[in-house]
Amino acid sequence: MSLRPPEPTVRDVGEFGLIAAITEGLGPTASVPVSVGDDCAVLAPTGRLAVSTDAMIEDVHFKRVWSSAHDVGRKAVASAMADVEAMGARPLGLVVSASLPKDLPASWARELTAGIRAEAELCGAQLVGGDITSGDKIGIVCTVFGDLEGRTPTLRCGAVPGQVVAYIGNLGMAEAGLTVLRRGFRSPAAVVNAHRVPAPPYGQGIVASEAGAGAMIDCSDGLVADLRHIAEASGVVIALETDALQVAEPQKTVAAAIGGAEPLDFILRGGDDHALLATFAPGRVPAGWTVIGGVAAADGTPGVLVDGRPWDADGGWTHF
Amino acid sequence: MSLRPPEPTVRDVGEFGLIAAITEGLGPTASVPVSVGDDCAVLAPTGRLAVSTDAMIEDVHFKRVWSSAHDVGRKAVASAMADVEAMGARPLGLVVSASLPKDLPASWARELTAGIRAEAELCGAQLVGGDITSGDKIGIVCTVFGDLEGRTPTLRCGAVPGQVVAYIGNLGMAEAGLTVLRRGFRSPAAVVNAHRVPAPPYGQGIVASEAGAGAMIDCSDGLVADLRHIAEASGVVIALETDALQVAEPQKTVAAAIGGAEPLDFILRGGDDHALLATFAPGRVPAGWTVIGGVAAADGTPGVLVDGRPWDADGGWTHF
C-alpha cells in the first residue's frame, strides 16, 4: 500500500494564494488603464459600454463528472460574452466572482482560472477583477464588458417585416451532448464537447451590426424560444423554415441511439450553443450566415411559426 | 387552531416572476441608454469607467436572523459601491447576480430587491441588469460601475511622504455590532445597525479626488490593514496616531459589556463600515475629513506604525 500526500485544497492555498495565481501577469493596457489590484479596475472603451452578467452553478449548468475545470472556466466566459456579441460590441473585459468549496482541490481552481483566461484571450477580452468566496457548490458569476466603438447597439426590438432571419454558429449541438451525457455516454465527441465548451461566433456580432442587422440575440434558451424573444420585442411574426436547418451527423446518431427521437428537436429546442440570431434586409446577409426564415407583420399576437404552424410557449407545436 | 395558507416561495413565483418584480419601472436614462431586458445593458459614462465586483454570502457575510432582507440588499450594494467611491468615481450603475434557495419566501426576495434599489438610489446608481439562479444558500454578487467623469482615478499607490492621512465615515462601528450580535444581543442599536447596513460616505470620493488626494482606499479589511495596503502599494510608512481616533459611546458600552475589551480595537481592526481613507497634502484636507496620521518615507519595509510602534500582519502590535 502506498500513501500519496493529500492534494492541496483551496483552504490550504487560501484566498490570497488563489488570487495571486489568478492575476499573475495581468497588467494595464490601453483599454484597461487600471487592471487588477486596486479598489476598482478602470475601463477606457472608445464608445459606449455593453454590460451583462451570467451565473453558472455546479449541478445546474455543469457537472464536475462531465466537464473539466478548464471546460467550466471557458464555458462561463463564452456563455456570458455571447451577450456582448449579440449587441454588436467588441469583447473588452470581464470580472469573475467565484464561490468555491473549501475542500476543492487547488488544482481544480487553477485549471478553472486557466480556462477563464484562455477563453478571454480567444475573444480578445481581459480579466480585470474578481472576488473569491467559499460556498457549498461551485458558482461562477461572469460580468462581461463590450466596447460598442461608436456603433448603435443591435437590440431585440429591431426586427422589421420583410427582413430575413439568419444565424451563425452551432444549433442544437450542446443539447444533443447534454442528452447523451445524461444517459451516461461520452460520445459522439462533437456534441459532448459542444456541451462542455460552447463556441460563440466571436466577431460576428460586429459583422452583423455593420451589415445593418435589425434585431439580434444570442441563442441560449433555444432557437424557437429566442426567436420568440425577438418577435415579441419587435411586435412581429417570425416564420422559421426547417428545410433551411442542417441536422449534423452526430445529432442524427444521438437521436437514433435514444430511440427514434426527432433530431430536428435538438435544433429547435436546444440553447447553450450561443449561436447568433439576427434579422437583415434581404441581400444584406453577411457571408457565413444561414437564412432560416423571414419576418412578417403580426396579424394579432407576435410569435414564431415553424413551417407555417404556431409553436407554443413550451417550445413545441401548438396542438389544436 | 387556525390554518394560514403557506407563504409563496421563490419556486412558486419563478425566475420570470421575480425578474418582473425586480425590474419594474427600470428604464433607459442618459447614462444608461439601454436598461434591463436585452442581452446587455448599455452604459454611456462621460469618462472612463471604474468597475468592481463583490460577493456577499449567507452565513459568511450576513445571517438572516440578524439582518432583514432589505438590510442585506442595501449592504450588498453599499459594500460594493464603496470601491467606486475609493477611486474618485461617481456611482453610475450596477448588475446583480442572486443565488436563492428555492424554498426562500418570495417576500424575502422582494425585500432584498427593494433594499438593492433603495441603496442604489441613495448613491445615485441604476440597477441595469442581473441574473437569478437557485442555490442552497443566499449569494449576492454586485458588480458596480462608476463614472470617472474625466478625473484621474485615485489609486492605492499614490501616497507620498509629507502627506497626512485622513478618513471620513464610520470606523469600527460594524465590528462592535458584529461582536454583540455574535453574543446574542441586539443593542446598542447604533453599532448593530452599522453591521446591518454600512453607510459609505457617498460623494466624498469625488471630494477627495478634487482635493488632490494622493492615495485612497475604502476601509473594508480593517483600519490598520487597509492603511497597510496603501503603505505597501506606495512604498511608504504610515504613522497612525490613535489620539486622533474618537471612540464612540456605543463602542465603549460594548467593550465594557464584553468584559474590559479595548474599545480602540474595534476601530483599529474593524472593517465593513466602508469609511474612506486617503492621503492629502497638508492643508488640503477636505471639510469633514479627520486627520489621523502622516506619511513618511520607508526606511526599510513599508508598513503601518500605530503610535510609533510597528503593527504586525495579524492586525495587532508586534510583540518583540
Side-chain angles (χ1 to χ4, degrees):
Chain A
M1 182 183 154
S2 76
L3 285 173
R4 285 173 52 191
E7 199 181 353
T9 64
V10 163
R11 186 195 281 112
D12 298 331
V13 176
E15 179 186 353
F16 291 105
L18 283 175
I19 289 175
I22 289 169
T23 59
E24 193 188 345
L26 295 174
T29 63
S31 56
V32 184
V34 178
S35 183
V36 293
D38 217 294
D39 294 276
C40 289
V42 175
L43 306 181
T46 61
R48 291 175 171 192
L49 199 77
V51 174
S52 183
T53 194
D54 218 8
M56 224 170 72
I57 312 290
E58 183 178 5
D59 295 332
V60 177
H61 301 92
F62 67 92
K63 285 184 187 288
R64 269 192 263 174
V65 293
W66 293 346
S67 300
S68 72
H70 199 273
D71 292 342
V72 171
R74 287 192 61 189
K75 182 172 183 160
V77 175
S79 56
M81 204 59 88
D83 286 317
V84 163
E85 287 285 334
M87 302 299 279
R90 185 180 304 281
L92 189 161
L94 71 155
V95 296
V96 179
S97 177
S99 168
L100 304 175
K102 287 179 182 166
D103 61 358
L104 186 72
S107 60
W108 204 97
R110 276 194 301 271
E111 277 301 299
L112 172 72
T113 299
I116 289 169
R117 290 183 60 169
E119 190 72 16
E121 193 170 329
L122 187 66
C123 67
Q126 267 186 274
L127 180 63
V128 304
D131 193 18
I132 298 175
T133 52
S134 64
D136 296 336
K137 297 214 168 184
I138 298 167
I140 300 147
V141 177
C142 283
T143 305
V144 292
F145 312 111
D147 188 350
L148 280 159
E149 301 175 323
R151 288 180 298 277
T152 302
T154 308
L155 306 181
R156 298 178 179 186
C157 59
V160 177
Q163 288 181 332
V164 297
V165 176
Y167 84 96
I168 191 166
N170 294 324
L171 292 176
M173 294 292 277
E175 182 74 9
L178 184 59
T179 301
V180 296
L181 285 166
R182 280 192 172 139
R183 287 164 189 249
F185 300 103
R186 302 297 170 103
S187 66
V191 297
V192 169
N193 290 340
H195 163 78
R196 289 172 174 154
V197 182
Y202 292 127
Q204 290 294 324
I206 294 175
V207 169
S209 169
E210 291 178 343
M216 183 154 52
I217 195 169
D218 81 296
C219 184
S220 55
D221 291 341
L223 176 59
V224 176
D226 286 310
L227 289 178
R228 184 181 298 115
H229 292 316
I230 289 182
E232 291 177 348
S234 303
V236 297
V237 165
I238 289 181
L240 180 61
E241 306 293 337
T242 61
D243 280 355
L245 295 167
Q246 193 76 41
V247 177
E249 269 318 309
Q251 290 173 317
K252 292 178 192 165
T253 305
V254 174
I258 65 172
E262 172 54 64
L264 193 62
D265 252 22
F266 296 133
I267 293 177
L268 296 175
R269 297 173 191 272
D272 285 348
D273 287 297
H274 302 284
L276 291 175
L277 315 174
T279 67
F280 299 95
R284 294 208 59 193
V285 179
W289 289 66
T290 303
V291 173
I292 54 175
V295 181
D299 181 22
T301 315
V304 178
L305 300 176
V306 178
D307 295 337
R309 296 162 61 193
W311 185 268
D312 77 11
D314 298 330
W317 272 283
T318 304
H319 303 284
F320 48 82
Chain B
M1 182 182 150
S2 75
L3 284 174
R4 284 172 54 191
E7 198 181 353
T9 64
V10 162
R11 185 194 283 110
D12 298 330
V13 176
E15 180 187 352
F16 291 105
L18 282 175
I19 289 175
I22 289 170
T23 58
E24 192 188 348
L26 295 174
T29 63
S31 56
V32 184
V34 178
S35 184
V36 294
D38 217 293
D39 295 275
C40 289
V42 176
L43 307 181
T46 60
R48 293 176 169 191
L49 198 78
V51 174
S52 184
T53 193
D54 217 8
M56 225 170 71
I57 312 290
E58 183 178 7
D59 295 332
V60 178
H61 302 92
F62 68 91
K63 284 183 187 288
R64 268 192 264 176
V65 292
W66 293 346
S67 300
S68 72
H70 199 274
D71 292 341
V72 171
R74 288 192 61 188
K75 183 172 183 161
V77 176
S79 56
M81 204 57 90
D83 286 317
V84 163
E85 287 285 335
M87 303 298 279
R90 186 181 303 281
L92 188 160
L94 72 155
V95 295
V96 179
S97 176
S99 168
L100 304 174
K102 287 178 181 166
D103 61 357
L104 186 73
S107 60
W108 203 98
R110 277 195 299 272
E111 277 301 300
L112 172 73
T113 300
I116 288 169
R117 290 183 61 167
E119 190 72 16
E121 193 170 330
L122 188 66
C123 67
Q126 267 185 274
L127 180 63
V128 303
D131 193 17
I132 297 175
T133 53
S134 65
D136 296 336
K137 297 215 167 182
I138 299 166
I140 301 146
V141 177
C142 283
T143 304
V144 292
F145 312 112
D147 187 349
L148 280 159
E149 300 174 323
R151 289 179 297 277
T152 302
T154 308
L155 306 181
R156 298 177 179 186
C157 60
V160 176
Q163 288 180 332
V164 297
V165 176
Y167 83 95
I168 192 165
N170 294 324
L171 291 177
M173 295 293 277
E175 182 73 10
L178 184 58
T179 300
V180 297
L181 285 166
R182 280 192 172 139
R183 286 163 187 250
F185 300 103
R186 302 296 171 105
S187 67
V191 297
V192 168
N193 290 340
H195 164 79
R196 290 172 173 153
V197 182
Y202 292 126
Q204 289 294 324
I206 294 177
V207 169
S209 169
E210 290 178 343
M216 183 153 54
I217 195 169
D218 81 295
C219 185
S220 55
D221 292 339
L223 176 60
V224 176
D226 286 310
L227 290 178
R228 184 181 299 115
H229 291 318
I230 289 182
E232 291 177 348
S234 302
V236 298
V237 165
I238 289 180
L240 179 62
E241 306 292 336
T242 61
D243 280 356
L245 295 167
Q246 193 77 41
V247 177
E249 268 319 309
Q251 290 172 317
K252 290 180 193 165
T253 306
V254 175
I258 65 172
E262 173 53 65
L264 193 62
D265 252 23
F266 295 132
I267 293 177
L268 295 175
R269 297 174 192 272
D272 284 348
D273 287 297
H274 302 283
L276 291 175
L277 315 175
T279 67
F280 299 95
R284 294 207 59 192
V285 179
W289 290 66
T290 303
V291 174
I292 55 174
V295 181
D299 181 23
T301 314
V304 177
L305 299 176
V306 179
D307 296 336
R309 294 162 62 192
W311 184 270
D312 78 12
D314 298 330
W317 271 283
T318 303
H319 302 285
F320 48 84

